[in-house]
Amino acid sequence: MSDPDEPKPDGGTASQPEGESPELEDHPLEWDEPENNDLAPDERASVSRPAQKDDDPKLVTGQAKYTADYETQFPDLARAAVVRSEILHGYVTDIDASAAEEMDGVHAVLTPWSEGTPDAKYTSAGQSYPEPSPWDMTVLNEHVRYVGDPIAAVAAEDAETARAAAESIEVEYEEAEYVLDPEAAHSEDAPRLFEEDEVENEIVGHDYSRNRMAHIEGEIGDVEDAVAREDVHVHETEWETIRQSHAQIEPHTTLAYTDEDDRHVLVTSTQVPNHTRRQLAHLFDVPIRDVRVSKPRVGGGFGGKQAMVVEPIPLALSIAADRPVLYEATREEEFHAMRSRHPMTVRARTAVTEDGSIEAIDLYALSNTGAYGSHGMTVAGNVGSKPMPLYSKVPNARFEADIVHTNTPQTGAMRGYGAPQGTLALEGHLDEVARDLDLDPVEFRQRHYMEVGDLDEIAGMMGGEGAERRIRSCGLDECIERGKDAIGWDDVEQPDEDHLHRGIGMALSAQGTGVAGDELGAAQLMMNEDGSFHLHVGGVDIGTGADTAFIQIAAEVLGCDEEDIVIKSSDTDVTPFDYGAYASSTTYISGMAVKKAAEDAKERILYWGSKLLEEPESNLDTGDGTVYSEETGASVSLEEIGYEAAYGHDEREHILGKGTHCTEESPPPFAAQFADVTVDEETGEFEVTELVVAVDCGVAINPGMAEGQVEGANHMSYEMAVSEGITFDDEGRSEVRGFDDYDWPTAAETPTIESILVETHEPTGPFGAKSVAEVPTNTVPPALSNAIREAVGVRITEMPITAEKINAALEDDG
Amino acid sequence: MHIDCTINGNERMFEVSKSDLLLDVLRRNGYTGAKRGCDTGACGMCTVQIDGEPTMSCVTPVAKADGATVETIEGLGTQDDLHPVQQAFVDNSALQCGFCIPGMIMRSKALLEENPDPTEAEVREALSDNLCRCTGYKKIVEAVLDASDRLAEQAVAADGGRAATDRCCDCHCAGDRPTGADRRGETDR
């Protein structure tokens, strides 16, 4: 990892060579925080108040527009359907599309050999540039590597015709050997998915002769030396995670057309409008300025839309058909041809002294990236770099990962981004070690975990110098205390029936907030003459309520009502640049850009207030829709200022503010998870009665929204623990074709989830905020495994946790 | 062929083909509140009411709507004047991306028409045909229990009984009926 141009495993690009230890002065504890950033709860007018979500009235009345809802606005709209590989691995030798081309109502048919099909290599990963993912795919593929790989596409007057035309296309293949198991794939005898010349932008540690797209490793101290010591016990455990589907409720949907200026316009359900614009310009060989990507309401993303999954197909079809084209992925396509969480095997090893001092932690992950490498290396990097820093006091630490191709569906970014896999392994492992040594699992953790002031070197272990960080806010102690109280940790009553046993398990988690050194958000604010504002922000609201958080941040600075701010977010023609909604960055990065834009505008507002009040600006502040003087109590409304600035006699100005934010910081939010389970020792059946998760997210900009994020994330985490995810039949074909086959817990099957927000203050974040929505995605699998261990003494290491596995373990035990 | 139906109180006539599904016809005609989530009746995004029954419109032949009364999310409150169920979802922070919400609200409305005073377990059971990926369901369930209280208060007020404005405070302690918060303890989990 010493090449400064190499992408680094947490998603950024290393800017300095490694090798030197971090200089403490590079990471000072003191932070030059502006006074207005650290408001006490009673000083906050908008921030951390339960503001109604800006788009709620539209959402509850069905007026909100998602991509597909624009269909009625385009009378000549064509619909797209895609022909996908029916074989696991091989080459397309012939395509007979004549029947489709002759069908009434068919406007365009594209194959890999059509003139209008882009043939450049790219990655679907929506990441910064240069992408830390290999360019290993084309829009329509001759060399197919999984059941679901796109081969041809059709645009027709309606969806039924498009589907019928797609079904009439006959594809001939030359089949090749395939491999499904990542361990088998990672051998020199395995069928190869890629020849060297089929990949551009290759990633560190790649070895396509054994299907490895990347190998990464990092170490601080000397793990082998610690493990070899005579005074330590070495513990080793191995963990397996599921192939989880994002199952975002709105399928991947894109509407594409070319406008009167020959510019390509995409209305699309995406988390990354700016990255998508750049990638489309590359694929279609047009200037970036000639692509417009606009994001309407988005029906959930969870990382599944941090990728350019479908956009090129409707755009190519719309150019070929010379009319707007709408592509809505079917639910079946969502499960077998879009993206999923990387399934992994993670080995955890520690060296621990008799009295419970952890001398070394060592994690190794074998990640199954599926047929293509999008997000493969960066997700695997986070298996180590997110959970391991929790134990920043451990002197020796190592992480290593192999990321391997198999002929299975594509994986990608998903909420937690590798941290769930690593957290299961680490928190399950440490719990087991504590039990081995007869130590209290909570105290055992507390002896080693992060505190304010710690220099976290583990975070930078694989990213080159610069990714280390100073911990400036940490609420772990309070998370644990409040979580324990809420779940009744100290008073666990056993059921009356002898065969039922109750246990409470716990797990900790840390995440990041944005990608250190590799983020950018920007915003601009325009003041209207009536004192209201238009806020334009590149930050992307995919349903989290980010737009509302932006409004609250701006309103806090401007001292106005939230209703006086109209927001427009995520339209590349209109809104400033932003990396997109991922890595828990939105409130922290884009929100700080909004704060800066509002402060920039506020400066001009105070200038005009000073003119009107005839007092020095230093006496003035904004609040309650006015500029007021703290000295004299005089005030002038924002509306008066707006009119004076726009229509004044001697001087005029359109009051505008702009803000751009990027940072080397990525402060971790923390979570403490508790799970209460009752297990029947005769059958292995278990019932989770309650999940409690306490999260330190700094200051919650909107507590109601933050709780919702925590509860939704914890539900997704619970699903990782107890449901099977996407499974395959003996021939490697996805068995999940719809929601009925994908058994995530319904409302009736979901335990009570209690979310607790623990407020700390992160000085680098807007008004003290750090991230909230990923960290609770990591914690239920280990907490539940730990709870079952507590209840009936058996350890389940392979997800999902099922009655059959518990029963089998009990029988082995007995 | 054509069908006649009453949508949200308005009599409408649609030209349709026999194989058309209700969701397609609704969406083609501008009723885009009902969402397409799966096309197999498995997620509930497209839930509307036909003659008062919650119905997955993505698997319902349009002929079923012929002569029937159809209610969609567009027929409930407006943005300035929300229906109590809609208002309860907003006030309980019960929605994030919102894609499931039109179906969820139509399902909840149907539940509360049939069972005005459900327990938490009954709400969870009724909502099990409607999936949500964002919320973990907790705040949605709370919203439905809250909506139940609001509708009861509205009924009391309309009845000439104790008006909503007579309540001691803004909590839901009007009358003797248990509040949503009380009933949360009645779960059979």
Side-chain angles (χ1 to χ4, degrees), chain A residues 53 56 60-61 66 68-69 71 245-246 249 298 302 331 543 707-709 711-712 719 744 746-748 750 753, chain B residues 27 32 35 37 42-43 45 73 77 79 86 90 95-99 124 128 132-136 138-139 189:
Chain A
K53 204 148 79 65
D56 274 0
V60 295
T61 52
Y66 302 81
D69 299 333
E71 62 183 309
S245 174
H246 302 84
I249 294 295
V298 167
F302 315 114
R331 187 52 60 181
E707 283 169 9
Q709 290 295 306
E711 289 153 16
E719 177 204 326
W744 49 294
T746 64
T750 301
I753 298 172
Chain B
R27 292 187 58 85
T32 54
K35 303 300 178 198
C43 73
M45 302 303 124
I73 191 78
Q79 291 191 47
Q86 292 169 318
V90 171
L95 62 164
Q96 290 171 30
C97 86
F99 202 75
R124 284 182 177 269
S128 283
C132 167
R133 192 54 161 167
C134 294
T135 62
K138 184 183 181 193
K139 291 187 191 303
R189 289 209 152 270

Side-chain angles (χ1 to χ4, degrees), chain A residues 300-442:
Chain A
F302 315 114
K305 295 171 182 171
Q306 194 207 332
M308 189 169 69
V309 180
V310 298
E311 285 85 348
I313 291 177
L315 179 54
L317 286 170
S318 81
I319 295 167
D322 195 21
R323 67 185 63 218
V325 171
L326 174 66
Y327 178 42
E328 286 177 273
T330 65
R331 187 52 60 181
E332 186 179 338
E333 285 178 309
E334 284 293 328
F335 283 112
H336 81 273
M338 298 296 143
R339 302 292 179 268
S340 60
R341 194 188 290 288
H342 295 73
M344 291 191 201
T345 303
V346 185
R347 192 194 67 215
R349 190 165 68 135
T350 49
V352 188
T353 61
E354 188 69 39
D355 62 355
S357 169
I358 306 174
E359 296 302 313
I361 295 180
D362 185 17
L363 288 190
Y364 168 79
L366 178 65
S367 175
N368 180 355
T369 192
Y372 295 96
S374 77
H375 295 279
M377 176 191 68
T378 40
V379 163
N382 279 273
V383 173
S385 67
K386 291 296 180 279
M388 291 174 79
L390 262 178
Y391 302 103
S392 56
K393 295 191 183 351
V394 174
N396 304 291
R398 180 167 68 188
F399 176 70
E400 202 172 331
D402 288 302
I403 302 96
V404 173
H405 287 292
T406 58
N407 294 105
T408 58
Q410 290 202 60
T411 50
M414 187 167 177
R415 195 177 198 174
Y417 205 80
Q421 294 94 323
T423 304
L424 169 66
L426 187 58
E427 287 298 286
H429 177 86
L430 292 183
D431 195 81
E432 197 56 40
V433 171
R435 285 168 195 285
D436 264 9
L437 299 176
D438 207 20
L439 298 168
D440 179 275
V442 177

Side-chain angles (χ1 to χ4, degrees), chain A residues 175-423:
Chain A
E175 292 202 42
E177 292 285 304
Y178 62 84
V179 60
L180 302 170
D181 175 66
E183 197 122 7
H186 195 202
S187 97
E188 281 164 17
D189 307 330
R192 287 173 65 154
L193 271 74
F194 289 92
E195 302 302 327
E196 291 285 346
D197 62 359
E198 287 184 291
V199 182
E200 297 172 22
N201 190 40
E202 289 159 332
I203 300 304
V204 59
H206 68 88
D207 179 357
Y208 287 104
S209 72
R210 47 195 304 216
N211 295 311
R212 192 169 73 199
M213 67 144 284
H215 171 87
I216 51 175
E217 57 185 62
E219 182 167 11
I220 58 167
D222 188 331
V223 166
E224 286 309 323
D225 193 47
V227 166
R229 272 166 48 180
E230 281 182 5
D231 63 334
V232 299
H233 294 263
V234 177
H235 302 257
E236 189 166 334
T237 51
E238 193 172 281
W239 307 79
E240 260 182 65
T241 62
I242 63 167
R243 179 186 292 268
Q244 189 176 25
S245 174
H246 302 84
Q248 67 276 333
I249 294 295
E250 180 204 22
H252 287 80
T253 308
T254 301
L255 195 161
Y257 61 95
T258 300
D259 72 7
E260 63 274 23
D261 296 318
D262 291 335
R263 298 174 67 243
H264 304 308
V265 182
L266 291 102
V267 181
T268 186
S269 184
T270 182
Q271 298 173 226
V272 283
N274 283 95
H275 293 327
T276 299
R277 179 178 69 160
R278 186 193 72 241
Q279 290 169 300
L280 288 170
H282 160 69
L283 275 180
F284 287 84
D285 197 22
V286 296
I288 279 179
R289 65 173 174 271
D290 284 342
V291 181
R292 175 181 189 178
V293 177
S294 165
K295 173 213 72 80
R297 292 295 93 193
V298 167
F302 315 114
K305 295 171 182 171
Q306 194 207 332
M308 189 169 69
V309 180
V310 298
E311 285 85 348
I313 291 177
L315 179 54
L317 286 170
S318 81
I319 295 167
D322 195 21
R323 67 185 63 218
V325 171
L326 174 66
Y327 178 42
E328 286 177 273
T330 65
R331 187 52 60 181
E332 186 179 338
E333 285 178 309
E334 284 293 328
F335 283 112
H336 81 273
M338 298 296 143
R339 302 292 179 268
S340 60
R341 194 188 290 288
H342 295 73
M344 291 191 201
T345 303
V346 185
R347 192 194 67 215
R349 190 165 68 135
T350 49
V352 188
T353 61
E354 188 69 39
D355 62 355
S357 169
I358 306 174
E359 296 302 313
I361 295 180
D362 185 17
L363 288 190
Y364 168 79
L366 178 65
S367 175
N368 180 355
T369 192
Y372 295 96
S374 77
H375 295 279
M377 176 191 68
T378 40
V379 163
N382 279 273
V383 173
S385 67
K386 291 296 180 279
M388 291 174 79
L390 262 178
Y391 302 103
S392 56
K393 295 191 183 351
V394 174
N396 304 291
R398 180 167 68 188
F399 176 70
E400 202 172 331
D402 288 302
I403 302 96
V404 173
H405 287 292
T406 58
N407 294 105
T408 58
Q410 290 202 60
T411 50
M414 187 167 177
R415 195 177 198 174
Y417 205 80
Q421 294 94 323
T423 304

Side-chain angles (χ1 to χ4, degrees), chain A residues 90-96 113 141-143 151 170-175:
Chain A
Y91 298 85
V92 175
T93 54
D94 193 33
I95 298 175
D96 181 357
W113 307 302
N141 293 282
E142 277 184 74
H143 185 174
I151 294 170
E170 289 177 19
V171 180
E172 282 182 27
Y173 305 95
E174 179 191 322
E175 292 202 42

Side-chain angles (χ1 to χ4, degrees), chain A residues 645-786:
Chain A
Y647 300 113
H649 291 299
D650 56 340
E651 189 183 356
R652 284 179 287 280
E653 173 185 5
H654 187 183
I655 294 178
L656 298 167
K658 72 176 168 75
T660 284
H661 190 64
C662 50
T663 174
E664 297 295 316
E665 300 294 319
S666 175
F670 298 96
Q673 174 81 51
F674 298 83
D676 185 345
V677 70
T678 300
V679 187
D680 185 333
E681 69 174 11
E682 291 172 358
T683 62
E685 298 286 336
F686 64 99
E687 187 188 12
V688 181
T689 44
E690 191 176 12
L691 298 171
V692 171
V693 58
V695 179
D696 156 25
C697 61
V699 168
I701 301 292
N702 184 317
M705 285 177 356
E707 283 169 9
Q709 290 295 306
V710 172
E711 289 153 16
N714 223 225
H715 183 264
M716 201 172 266
S717 189
Y718 178 63
E719 177 204 326
M720 264 195 93
V722 300
S723 70
E724 286 190 276
I726 300 173
T727 55
F728 300 97
D729 66 17
D730 292 342
E731 291 176 337
R733 291 162 201 278
S734 170
E735 290 175 315
V736 179
R737 296 184 173 272
F739 283 127
D740 284 338
D741 308 319
Y742 189 75
D743 59 345
W744 49 294
T746 64
E749 295 159 348
T750 301
T752 302
I753 298 172
E754 180 170 350
S755 55
I756 299 169
L757 299 180
V758 168
E759 181 164 315
T760 57
H761 180 81
E762 172 53 44
T764 66
F767 296 110
K770 46 188 180 180
S771 73
V772 68
E774 287 194 282
V775 73
T777 318
N778 307 333
T779 42
V780 179
L784 186 53
S785 175
N786 296 343

Side-chain angles (χ1 to χ4, degrees), chain A residues 587-656:
Chain A
T587 300
Y588 184 72
I589 301 287
S590 312
M592 192 60 109
V594 168
K595 183 164 184 274
K596 288 178 174 178
E599 279 162 358
D600 197 32
K602 181 178 170 180
E603 263 187 44
R604 299 311 303 161
I605 290 167
L606 293 181
Y607 167 82
W608 283 89
S610 160
K611 267 173 75 97
L612 290 171
L613 291 173
E614 295 178 348
E615 286 196 58
E617 283 170 53
S618 55
N619 284 0
L620 305 179
D621 203 351
T622 55
D624 292 330
T626 69
V627 169
Y628 64 93
S629 163
E630 284 173 10
E631 298 284 310
T632 65
S635 71
V636 54
S637 71
L638 293 180
E639 183 172 4
E640 289 170 87
I641 287 175
Y643 274 100
E644 185 63 23
Y647 300 113
H649 291 299
D650 56 340
E651 189 183 356
R652 284 179 287 280
E653 173 185 5
H654 187 183
I655 294 178
L656 298 167

